[in-house]
Amino acid sequence: MISFLRGTVAHVGLSSAVIDLNGAGMSVNATPQTLSRLRTGEEGKLFTSLIVREDSLTLFGFGSDDEREVFDVLLSVSGVGPRLALAVLAVHEPEAIRVAAHSGDGKAFTKVPGIGPKVAGRIVLELAGKLVPHGTAAGTTAPLASSEAVWKPQVVAAMTSLGWSEKDATASIDKSLADSPELAEKGNVAEILRATLRWLGQDGARAGNRVGARG
């Protein structure tokens, strides 16, 4: 794995740069913010992530190790490729992405070109617990906002982005929390969202069994 590149900046383009490593030019894709820090003819350093495909090897460069870490985690989301992950970093700073993922803020991701409500909802769902703000322990169950007036609209928004109506989302949240009142007290958006989706799956299975029994 190529962890970073350090060398003379040979070229800076709109979406990539070329780093001269003792006569070998390495092309690296990067965000506009990262590219703006490079100067042609001067030494530059980029943290990198190598994406291997059957027909290509592509390097993506970052100004910090934290940016690269967030990029790699974003790639774990189904349907999110390197170009889209890079677009997320072009719009949001790494810490802002961590906060949005940890708090279940799907709207933050819809600000990225190419990401609609459904993809944003999937990102929030799949990143829950994987990205946490600095200073917060991974997998923490500490409350993000215990007031229902704060966390409930965020959970409803995440569910509507996944296809549920606001009315059905609200009803499902209330019913799922009737079985887990401690989650409502904690107010952790990601945990409540996961619990509600689990409850919907179980409820759907029970409904299917009832239909089968009647048949």
Side-chain angles (χ1 to χ4, degrees):
M1 177 181 178
I2 303 174
S3 296
F4 69 88
L5 297 177
R6 186 197 300 273
T8 303
V9 179
H11 171 74
V12 179
L14 295 176
S15 59
S16 65
V18 177
I19 307 296
D20 184 345
L21 303 176
N22 298 319
M26 301 289 287
S27 179
V28 188
N29 296 283
T31 65
Q33 298 95 312
T34 297
L35 293 170
S36 68
R37 303 186 190 108
L38 302 176
R39 298 289 181 270
T40 302
E42 298 181 4
E43 183 179 83
K45 177 182 178 180
L46 293 175
F47 294 88
T48 58
S49 181
L50 178 64
I51 304 300
V52 179
R53 297 285 187 263
E54 290 184 0
D55 58 349
S56 66
L57 297 173
T58 308
L59 271 176
F60 290 84
F62 311 93
S64 69
D65 191 43
D66 190 34
E67 288 183 10
R68 178 177 60 186
E69 179 183 349
V70 171
F71 175 83
D72 288 339
V73 175
L74 283 168
L75 292 181
S76 69
V77 178
S78 57
V80 175
R83 301 289 179 182
L84 195 55
L86 197 66
V88 175
L89 282 165
V91 174
H92 297 296
E93 292 292 326
E95 187 66 6
I97 298 171
R98 291 177 182 277
V99 170
H102 192 58
S103 64
D105 183 9
K107 290 184 178 180
F109 293 103
T110 61
K111 296 178 181 179
V112 179
I115 295 182
K118 288 188 177 180
V119 175
R122 188 165 63 246
I123 289 174
V124 167
L125 178 62
E126 295 189 25
L127 288 187
K130 293 183 179 179
L131 283 179
V132 298
H134 288 302
T136 304
T140 181
T141 56
L144 299 179
S146 59
S147 171
E148 180 176 314
V150 176
W151 62 255
K152 196 166 189 177
Q154 296 182 52
V155 181
V156 170
M159 292 189 64
T160 55
S161 72
L162 290 171
W164 277 276
S165 68
E166 184 173 335
K167 179 180 178 180
D168 288 342
T170 301
S172 298
I173 293 168
D174 291 340
K175 291 177 181 177
S176 67
L177 293 184
D179 298 331
S180 306
E182 70 280 1
L183 291 181
E185 295 177 6
K186 293 178 181 178
N188 188 301
V189 173
E191 287 188 358
I192 294 172
L193 176 60
R194 287 199 299 269
T196 303
L197 294 176
R198 282 197 301 269
W199 182 89
L200 281 166
Q202 293 169 357
D203 187 64
R206 289 195 294 268
N209 290 336
R210 289 195 296 270
V211 170
R214 287 197 301 271

